[in-house]
């Protein structure tokens, strides 16, 4: 059993804390947000993440997991301090490191014994060295410490499983012993462990996210071409995915990537390149294609409905992906704004994210279920592929709607089935529906 402190109880911090506690360690999770910490102490989760409440409760009950707002308390007797605070986009696309800086400083001021500081946040290459400088500068007296980069690769919606069964653990440090100690903590996860230097570990995280984002923009470009040529991108992706060199995953064409990570991380990597005088051509194209997907959705809808002025449009799904209530950079926000700017009235239904979405989407009426939302609508747009949308009573939806028009931004339905039910239907990149 090791004693661990985790700084930040967001998606990454809370999952890290709960999972390390579940692996038998004693974990104190710290956050400056008192409301979140008080809520967690009462068993209230700050986020919707499947399985999180159960694992937190189990480890709180066994006294392996506690929450605090006090750095001295959280650092007392600990050998490892993980940093999992946010690194949002700054004004020019660079990563904003103010929370990392504040936590490094607070760790320095409050550590009382030798400490391995492990950075889990996604941070620009060179941040580990910068954190070491901050800690050195702010320690009241010199206590040995080591900085290790341990980027996190979990996905929202499957965060616990991703943490517990990672594809790999990446550790970067200038000190092999410190990296080995952190590797020991990860041994129960039984994943390959890559030990490298700090900067390379930081780069592995950006390169991984940028590669996945590139796959998505690639398939979205293919979708656009499929539409023009009368091919079906869903079948193209299946046919490509059997090639192990390509792989099946991240080939779903749709509204493009959203969320708190791909948009900000691709931007931050492009910024890092440009800052060093390099021209990130591919990354720029990936971002351009991604932005276009949301606009294209509106254009396709207009082709289907005509002028949007005075029309009522219903959005099925709001969160940036299913199984989360995260609305950060969710396509739903941009799409709703666009529809409103064109004079449409917008309604929405999402199984879990409506409360989070409400303040971000002024003027959008939130409905309690898909059917009351569809009643009287001139068109529906499928924004998030929640499982419950796959089995909707579509003949009933059709009857309730003013006009039976559906734009499926996630390709969850089959064009032929929809035509049989009597819908005017379009997905993304499913050109064959028009050519047959
Ligand atoms: P988040 O916004 O959900 O949580 C960050 C938490 O840090 C908040 O609770 C905030 O109050 C707290 N915090 C801020 N400053 C603090 C300080 N000085 N001391 C203590 N706590 C502080 O963020 P997140 O989504 O968990 O992301 C964290 C980092 O992990 C980011 O760099 C992100 O890119 C990376 N990441 C996120 C995911 C994901 O799925 N969300 C996956 C992999 C990596
Ligand atoms: C992503 C990565 O998958 C994680 O490995 C990484 O740790 C995380 O970012 C991060 O750094 O924060 P996440 O954003 O939670 O995880 O979700 P994904 O499942 O990757 O989806 C991201 C976006 O891409 C979503 O908007 C999703 O709808 C979109 N997407 C995904 C597609 O449009 N097509 C696909 O084929 C896959």
């Amino acid at each position: 059993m090791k004693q661990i402190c985790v700084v930040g109880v967001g998606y990454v911090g809370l999952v890290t804390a709960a999972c390390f506690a579940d692996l038998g360690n004693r974990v104190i999770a710290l956050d400056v947000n008192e409301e979140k910490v008080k809520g967690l102490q009462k068993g209230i989760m700050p986020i919707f993440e499947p399985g999180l409440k159960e694992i937190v409760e189990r480890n709180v009950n066994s006294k392996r997991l506690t929450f605090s707002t006090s750095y001295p308390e959280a650092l007392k007797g600990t050998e490892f301090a993980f940093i999992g605070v946010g690194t949002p986009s700054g004004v020019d696309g660079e990563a904003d490191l103010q929370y990392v800086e504040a936590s490094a400083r607070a760790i320095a001021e409050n550590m009382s014994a030798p400490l391995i500081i492990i950075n889990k946040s996604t941070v620009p290459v060179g941040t580990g060295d910068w954190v070491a400088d901050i800690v050195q500068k702010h320690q009241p007296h010199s206590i040995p410490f080591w900085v290790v980069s341990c980027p996190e690769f979990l996905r929202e919606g499957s965060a616990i499983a991703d943490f517990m069964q990672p594809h790999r653990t990446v550790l970067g440090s200038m000190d092999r012993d410190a990296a080995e100690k952190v590797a020991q903590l990860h041994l129960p996860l039984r994943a390959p462990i890559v030990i490298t230097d700090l900067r390379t570990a930081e780069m592995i995280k950006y390169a991984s996210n940028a590669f996945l984002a590139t796959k998505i923009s690639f398939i979205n470009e293919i979708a656009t071409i499929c539409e023009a040529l009368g091919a079906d991108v869903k079948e193209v992706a299946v046919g490509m995915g059997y090639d192990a060199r390509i792989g099946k995953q991240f080939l779903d064409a749709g509204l493009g990537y959203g969320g708190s990570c791909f948009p900000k991380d691709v931007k931050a990597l492009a910024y890092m390149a440009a800052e060093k005088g390099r021209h990130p051509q591919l990354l720029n194209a990936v971002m351009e294609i991604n932005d276009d997907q949301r606009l294209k959705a509106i254009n396709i809808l207009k082709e289907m409905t005509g002028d949007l002025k005075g029309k009522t449009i219903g959005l099925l799904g709001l969160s940036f992906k299913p199984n989360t209530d995260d609305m950060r950079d969710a396509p739903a926000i941009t799409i709703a704004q666009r529809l409103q700017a064109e004079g449409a009235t917008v309604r929405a239904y999402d199984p879990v994210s409506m409360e989070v979405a409400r303040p971000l989407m002024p003027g959008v009426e939130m409905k309690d279920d898909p059917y009351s939302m569809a009643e009287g609508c001139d068109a529906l747009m499928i924004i998030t592929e929640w499982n419950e949308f796959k089995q909707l009573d579509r003949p009933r939806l059709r009857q309730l709607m003013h006009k039976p028009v559906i734009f499926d931004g996630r390709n969850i339905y089959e064009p032929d089935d929809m035509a049989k039910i009597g819908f005017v239907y379009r997905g993304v990149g499913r050109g064959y529906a028009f050519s047959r």
Side-chain angles (χ1 to χ4, degrees):
M1 179 197 262
K2 295 284 181 193
Q3 184 160 328
I4 296 170
C5 161
V6 177
V7 178
V9 294
Y11 287 88
V12 165
L14 186 52
V15 169
T16 301
C19 290
F20 272 127
D22 214 46
L23 293 171
N25 300 290
R26 160 111 182 76
V27 182
I28 304 192
L30 168 134
D31 205 290
V32 287
N33 184 324
E34 285 188 17
E35 207 183 320
K36 274 192 186 180
V37 170
K38 276 192 192 141
L40 281 162
Q41 286 165 338
K42 290 188 210 142
I44 302 165
M45 295 306 112
I47 50 171
F48 174 87
E49 180 62 42
L52 183 63
K53 192 172 167 58
E54 292 77 4
I55 191 170
V56 168
E57 270 172 9
R58 184 163 69 237
N59 287 284
V60 166
N61 290 340
S62 66
K63 304 209 174 351
R64 283 195 299 268
L65 177 61
T66 50
F67 300 99
S68 174
T69 51
S70 156
Y71 272 94
E73 183 192 12
L75 289 169
K76 199 168 171 217
T78 189
E79 197 185 339
F80 302 97
F82 283 88
I83 298 180
V85 299
T87 50
S89 278
V91 270
D92 295 322
E94 79 283 13
D96 175 354
L97 292 177
Q98 60 170 308
Y99 307 108
V100 174
E101 184 175 12
S103 14
R105 203 176 158 150
I107 289 172
E109 287 165 353
N110 293 290
M111 61 190 275
S112 50
L115 187 67
I116 300 180
I117 300 165
I118 307 143
N119 186 34
K120 268 214 158 296
S121 299
T122 304
V123 290
V125 178
T127 302
D129 299 324
W130 178 70
V131 163
D133 287 346
I134 295 171
V135 175
Q136 195 131 38
K137 205 160 104 201
H138 291 281
Q139 281 185 328
H141 45 267
S142 176
I143 304 173
F145 72 91
W146 302 266
V147 175
V148 175
S149 163
C150 174
E152 180 50 62
F153 298 98
L154 64 77
R155 289 161 301 173
E156 292 178 21
S158 53
I160 308 287
D162 287 349
F163 188 96
M164 289 298 203
Q165 291 123 40
H167 295 287
R168 76 301 207 186
T169 298
V170 173
L171 299 173
S173 181
M174 301 318 282
D175 185 287
R176 184 84 198 184
D177 286 349
E180 295 282 1
K181 282 189 182 156
V182 182
Q184 290 291 327
L185 280 181
H186 289 81
L187 284 185
L189 302 178
R190 296 172 175 273
I193 296 180
V194 178
I195 298 187
T196 179
D197 62 89
L198 262 176
R199 284 170 182 253
T200 304
E202 290 164 345
M203 188 61 179
I204 289 172
K205 174 63 191 175
Y206 278 103
S208 302
N209 273 6
F211 184 79
L212 293 171
T214 302
K215 258 188 126 174
I216 298 170
S217 282
F218 176 84
I219 201 68
N220 281 329
E221 179 147 293
I222 295 295
T224 302
I225 303 171
C226 280
E227 245 165 49
L229 300 181
D232 180 358
V233 75
K234 258 188 120 166
E235 289 174 30
V236 169
V238 170
M240 288 169 66
Y242 281 116
D243 185 328
R245 294 169 304 172
I246 296 173
K248 293 185 198 327
Q249 296 188 50
F250 281 72
L251 287 179
D252 292 329
L255 296 171
Y257 56 81
S260 67
C261 294
F262 286 170
K264 86 167 166 64
D265 292 345
V266 179
K267 253 188 244 161
L269 183 55
Y271 180 90
M272 280 181 250
E275 223 193 356
K276 291 287 177 198
R278 305 304 195 271
H279 179 41
Q281 278 168 285
L282 179 60
L283 298 179
N284 287 340
V286 167
M287 291 187 279
E288 192 188 332
I289 293 168
N290 198 58
D291 290 343
D292 276 0
Q293 287 310 108
R294 299 176 190 193
L295 300 180
K296 272 189 201 146
I298 304 285
N299 290 339
I300 294 177
L301 188 76
K302 276 167 46 181
E303 282 170 25
M304 297 170 83
T305 61
D307 191 355
L308 288 169
K309 198 163 190 290
K311 302 259 162 67
T312 300
I313 311 296
L315 306 184
L316 276 169
L318 293 172
S319 52
F320 83 98
K321 62 181 276 192
N323 298 321
T324 179
D325 61 355
D326 199 341
M327 286 296 299
R328 290 179 285 185
D329 214 330
I333 299 176
T334 332
I335 287 174
Q337 284 167 349
R338 240 329 146 99
L339 292 171
Q340 287 170 326
E342 301 257 356
T345 299
V346 184
R347 296 173 181 177
Y349 166 76
D350 185 287
V352 304
S353 67
M354 290 195 292
E355 284 318 305
V356 181
R358 208 182 296 274
L360 304 171
M361 303 179 77
V364 175
E365 192 187 353
M366 303 290 168
K367 292 288 197 176
D368 290 338
D369 67 272
Y371 301 102
S372 61
M373 197 215 37
E375 201 169 345
C377 274
D378 294 289
L380 294 183
M381 298 180 85
I382 296 167
I383 306 291
T384 316
E385 65 278 32
W386 285 94
N387 270 340
E388 69 171 65
F389 298 156
K390 295 176 185 163
Q391 293 302 334
L392 287 177
D393 181 347
R394 282 167 277 163
R396 183 176 163 207
L397 272 188
R398 182 182 171 275
Q399 278 187 339
L400 288 167
M401 291 174 71
H402 180 232
K403 293 268 169 62
V405 175
I406 293 194
F407 167 74
D408 182 354
R410 299 295 179 179
N411 288 342
I412 65 173
Y413 297 132
E414 285 308 311
D416 290 345
D417 295 346
M418 296 304 275
K420 275 186 209 138
I421 302 169
F423 277 108
V424 177
Y425 170 89
R426 280 184 64 182
V428 178
R430 312 205 68 186
Y432 81 95
F434 310 106
S435 61
R436 274 181 188 168

